[in-house]
Amino acid sequence: MRRASSSFLSHLARSKPKVLSSAISRNYISETCSISHGLLFKPQSSFNSNPSRNLDTLAEKPNLVPSRQRKLQEKSKLEEAFESARTVESMLGAFKKMESSFNERELAMASLKIGLKLDQEGEDPEKILDFAGRALRGLDTGEKPNVLLAMTLQLMGSANYTLKKFNDSLGYLNRANRLLIRFNEEGSLSAEDIRPVHHAVLLELANVKTAMGRREEAISNLRKCLEIKEIMFEKDSLELGKANRDLAEAYVAVLNFKEALAFGIKALDIHKNQLGNNSVEVAHDRRLLGVIYSGLEEHGKALEQNELSRKVLNNWGMMSDLIQAEIDAANIEIALGKHDKAIETLKRVVQKTEKDSETRAMVFISMAKALCEQDKFSDCRRCLEIACGIMDKKENSCPSVVADAYSEISMQYETMNDFDPAISLLKRALALLEKLPQEQHSEGSVSARIGWLLLLTGKVHQAIPYLEGAAERLEGCFGSKHFGIGYIYNNLGAAYLELDRPQSAAQMFAVAKDIMDVSLGPHHIDSIEACQNLSKAYGAMGSYALAIEFQQRVIDALESHGPTAEEELEEARRMLKQLKNKACDCSSSDVGFPTKASALPLVSSSSRSERPNLPLPRGHLT
């Protein structure tokens, strides 16, 4: 997978989807569900309202209103007082007076309103959860559910999310989602009533899944959010422009630039039509498109969008955003091979940054990258040391930012074949990420890189637990068939084979091959290499029939590549012949050729000489 501009991508990887204001839910309940509809009915005495029955007699009129009617009147006054309350304090005061006169079921609507008001004001999530729980107990009675129950479940999910109780949040939100889908399928409620609530539920689901590292699932929820907004709003509304950009950013965060492009272009078109070329929203769209085009290796287009973005940001005096865009521009120039120009850009930018700021550290990391590609390793190391010195002081205040920076810095050391500092920095990053449940995807990727580098430097026993941990975490984030996980299993297979455990190796290679066949296709070069590794593992076990079968598949796949794979095809045929010879005499279980482990991003070609028995294929891990 190609890499995007590091500074902007790091920001996106840390960010969660934009949370829809709960104003949709609050407005909905205010407009359609007056508290008197669900909390109380207002009885009227038909006798008193009929003048013909209100006759004077000689009997003495009672001085007291009957007890039952008096209680109803008191309830009505309490209800009206609550309805007229506008602040949190006045609502809570009115609610406290109501508690002695109303039961929990009657108080459900008022509890929901207070919970939504507290959420709007950003109050203590524990207090929000308390009122949402009271509303849920009053509304969830086993009777036919309605949209108010779904709203309450959404509020429960939101409060639990704020408290980082992600599993609890997911349970409430999933139930709300199922209810709303059922309402829609049954047609029991107006679609116009359901849509705003369903949008809020789906967006909160995306937030929770992102926090849990399940980013692919989160994107699916965001796409459904966009579909709902496309029905709710006009074709070129600003709401749709923002929603398209949010979705593009979510795809960029998982490095899926191909999918991100269409949504980024759509956002730009909407904002240009509504706000003009010189608006801040258009500048943000162009900067994002610059990152997307860079990820697609269309660096000319990337630089064009970035330059247009910087002009607008400069005109509006948005210095913070402008500095980030200038760092993006330098990274694009590095990708274009314009290293001197990139360094000049970064020298100007560093003068605009504050001493010991995270932004200054990112400038020095980009400068180190340019110097490294010019083979100016001593200057590169000095820049990396400055960046590390800044980030050391930020570990407690912004751990996810520091972890991203350590990972970036480690890549530069890795490129220079300085593996010990690269591994040390990655371990520091991992220690920070392990404390952040929302960074599970980053934790898995860093763990995979540590495992790869340990394997590369011959520390096979140490590599295995890191690789196993990476596979477990990333399967939870991206599903079991993500191509990056295939590379991890391929590396595990290489580790087990080097430890003379061919049966375990064969199991890992089989999993890797299955994943790559699904995600990349059986004729992709890395799928072919996984198949060949499986052949080698069976050969090491002495299972020559299976080894020959998979080696023949390797040859068949390579033949489909034509002249571009002639050398690989010749080597594969040699291996097949060797397997057949060994099958005949069964004199040795050693097949005599190296096993390929899968490389991670930004590994320099010069590192191939470090361990000739672990050459690097073209695969990358997200």
Side-chain angles (χ1 to χ4, degrees):
M1 179 69 73
R2 303 179 181 94
R3 296 182 59 78
S5 171
S6 60
S7 61
F8 188 58
L9 184 55
S10 296
H11 166 73
L12 288 176
R14 293 191 302 274
S15 65
K16 55 180 179 290
K18 310 296 188 299
V19 182
L20 177 72
S21 168
S22 56
I24 285 182
S25 298
R26 292 191 300 276
N27 291 344
Y28 179 79
I29 194 171
S30 298
E31 292 170 6
T32 65
C33 307
S34 173
I35 191 168
S36 61
H37 293 172
L39 179 63
L40 269 181
F41 65 91
K42 295 186 177 180
Q44 295 180 347
S45 169
S46 59
F47 181 83
N48 289 333
S49 64
N50 189 338
S52 65
R53 298 284 300 276
N54 192 11
L55 304 176
D56 289 331
T57 67
L58 294 175
E60 184 179 351
K61 295 181 182 179
N63 292 325
L64 298 175
V65 178
S67 174
R68 182 172 181 274
Q69 188 174 347
R70 185 175 66 253
K71 288 180 180 179
L72 290 174
Q73 289 175 351
E74 289 173 358
K75 280 188 172 185
S76 180
K77 289 179 180 179
L78 290 171
E79 176 195 3
E80 289 171 359
F82 181 85
E83 280 293 306
S84 63
R86 292 292 176 266
T87 66
V88 169
E89 292 75 16
S90 59
M91 290 177 74
L92 289 172
F95 185 84
K96 188 172 182 62
K97 293 177 182 178
M98 292 167 64
E99 286 182 297
S100 60
S101 301
F102 295 86
N103 61 41
E104 283 297 311
R105 187 169 181 178
E106 292 172 326
L107 288 170
M109 185 76 74
S111 298
L112 177 56
K113 282 195 169 186
I114 291 177
L116 291 169
K117 183 67 173 177
L118 291 169
D119 184 52
Q120 178 187 11
E121 300 291 331
E123 294 286 341
D124 178 11
E126 290 283 5
K127 187 184 291 186
I128 297 170
L129 197 61
D130 178 53
F131 280 98
R134 293 184 71 169
L136 184 61
R137 288 190 292 274
L139 292 169
D140 194 11
T141 59
E143 298 178 1
K144 186 175 181 180
N146 56 36
V147 73
L148 294 176
L149 176 57
M151 292 171 66
T152 305
L153 290 166
Q154 189 268 341
L155 186 61
M156 290 286 290
S158 177
N160 276 288
Y161 166 74
T162 306
L163 292 167
K164 300 189 184 302
K165 298 178 180 178
F166 300 129
N167 286 322
D168 290 343
S169 177
L170 198 61
Y172 289 116
L173 293 169
N174 278 333
R175 186 183 170 199
N177 189 39
R178 290 193 297 271
L179 278 178
L180 292 163
I181 290 172
R182 195 174 84 198
F183 294 155
N184 190 54
E185 290 174 347
E186 293 174 349
S188 54
L189 294 172
S190 166
E192 292 181 359
D193 289 343
I194 295 172
R195 285 184 195 125
V197 183
H198 201 185
H199 183 278
V201 169
L202 288 169
L203 199 50
E204 200 70 60
L205 273 171
N207 292 337
V208 175
K209 288 175 181 177
T210 298
M212 297 175 76
R214 294 160 59 174
R215 292 192 168 227
E216 295 289 346
E217 293 180 43
I219 287 175
S220 176
N221 291 131
L222 286 176
R223 291 199 70 149
K224 290 177 182 175
C225 285
L226 179 58
E227 291 170 6
I228 291 174
K229 277 198 168 184
E230 286 173 340
I231 298 172
M232 293 172 61
F233 295 97
E234 295 294 327
K235 181 180 178 181
D236 286 334
S237 72
L238 293 178
E239 283 285 344
L240 282 182
K242 183 175 179 297
N244 275 279
R245 186 170 68 211
D246 289 348
L247 189 51
E249 288 178 347
Y251 275 117
V252 169
V254 296
L255 306 185
N256 191 339
F257 305 108
K258 186 176 180 181
E259 289 288 344
L261 181 60
F263 296 106
I265 291 173
K266 181 67 174 176
L268 176 63
D269 289 343
I270 291 173
H271 287 140
K272 280 199 303 182
N273 291 337
Q274 294 294 317
L275 302 171
N277 270 315
N278 295 318
S279 72
V280 172
E281 296 300 326
V282 166
H284 290 321
D285 293 337
R286 290 194 185 282
R287 185 187 165 204
L288 176 60
L289 281 170
V291 175
I292 293 170
Y293 281 124
S294 183
L296 293 170
E297 295 188 0
E298 297 183 36
H299 301 301
K301 291 182 179 179
L303 202 55
E304 178 186 356
Q305 294 294 333
N306 181 276
E307 288 173 353
L308 291 170
S309 174
R310 281 184 284 140
K311 286 179 182 178
V312 176
L313 293 172
N314 185 56
N315 290 340
W316 284 93
M318 301 181 68
M319 293 307 299
S320 177
D321 290 316
L322 179 59
I323 288 171
Q324 294 296 334
E326 288 175 332
I327 296 173
D328 292 343
N331 287 326
I332 296 169
E333 288 165 347
I334 293 169
L336 288 167
K338 300 177 180 179
H339 303 116
D340 291 333
K341 188 174 181 181
I343 290 171
E344 288 303 314
T345 299
L346 292 167
K347 284 181 178 178
R348 290 196 303 271
V349 173
V350 78
Q351 301 302 319
K352 304 175 186 177
T353 61
E354 296 180 7
K355 185 180 179 181
D356 291 338
S357 67
E358 301 97 314
T359 304
R360 174 169 285 210
M362 297 311 298
V363 171
F364 278 108
I365 291 171
S366 293
M367 194 176 295
K369 189 187 305 180
L371 292 166
C372 183
E373 294 198 9
Q374 292 179 311
D375 292 336
K376 297 178 180 178
F377 296 141
S378 59
D379 291 339
C380 173
R381 289 186 180 94
R382 278 198 295 273
C383 288
L384 295 178
E385 287 167 4
I386 294 171
C388 272
I390 294 171
M391 287 300 176
D392 284 346
K393 304 170 186 176
K394 307 289 183 180
E395 287 192 2
N396 293 328
S397 58
C398 43
S400 62
V401 176
V402 175
D404 286 339
Y406 286 162
S407 182
E408 289 284 335
I409 294 168
S410 77
M411 290 178 187
Q412 300 310 312
Y413 280 116
E414 183 182 329
T415 303
M416 295 183 290
N417 291 334
D418 289 348
F419 297 117
D420 287 341
I423 293 171
S424 176
L425 281 166
L426 286 173
K427 286 182 177 180
R428 291 175 67 181
L430 186 62
L432 294 171
L433 293 169
E434 285 174 341
K435 301 174 184 177
L436 305 172
Q438 68 271 28
E439 297 290 345
Q440 189 175 7
H441 63 293
S442 299
E443 183 184 344
S445 295
V446 168
S447 184
R449 292 194 63 80
I450 295 172
W452 157 248
L453 289 174
L454 290 170
L455 187 60
L456 185 69
T457 53
K459 299 169 184 175
V460 182
H461 283 286
Q462 295 179 40
I464 289 175
Y466 285 103
L467 293 170
E468 289 176 339
E472 180 182 352
R473 286 168 178 78
L474 292 177
E475 281 178 357
C477 296
F478 300 113
S480 60
K481 298 301 181 183
H482 189 274
F483 70 90
I485 299 166
Y487 295 119
I488 295 174
Y489 277 110
N490 199 55
N491 287 345
L492 274 169
Y496 285 129
L497 203 57
E498 190 152 328
L499 293 174
D500 198 23
R501 294 171 58 183
Q503 189 168 358
S504 296
Q507 291 174 345
M508 297 299 103
F509 288 139
V511 174
K513 179 184 179 301
D514 181 53
I515 293 171
M516 291 182 178
D517 282 352
V518 171
S519 59
L520 302 175
H523 288 182
H524 189 279
I525 191 64
D526 291 328
S527 301
I528 295 170
E529 287 173 351
C531 186
Q532 188 156 277
N533 283 342
L534 186 56
S535 171
K536 295 168 188 175
Y538 281 124
M541 292 168 59
S543 301
Y544 294 114
L546 286 171
I548 290 169
E549 177 187 342
F550 283 105
Q551 191 62 27
Q552 185 60 57
R553 293 187 191 180
V554 170
I555 292 170
D556 294 342
L558 286 171
E559 286 176 342
S560 69
H561 284 256
T564 59
E566 284 183 1
E567 290 184 10
E568 292 89 345
L569 184 58
E570 182 180 347
E571 177 66 10
R573 286 170 175 161
R574 185 191 68 80
M575 291 180 180
L576 179 62
K577 183 178 180 181
Q578 189 174 356
L579 281 169
K580 288 179 177 179
N581 290 338
K582 289 187 177 292
C584 290
D585 56 30
C586 292
S587 59
S588 171
S589 63
D590 180 11
V591 250
F593 33 75
T595 302
K596 292 190 176 182
S598 296
L600 299 176
L602 298 186
V603 179
S604 72
S605 58
S606 58
S607 64
R608 294 172 184 261
S609 61
E610 294 296 312
R611 287 186 59 79
N613 63 323
L614 291 173
L616 310 184
R618 287 168 285 280
H620 297 299
L621 173 68
T622 304

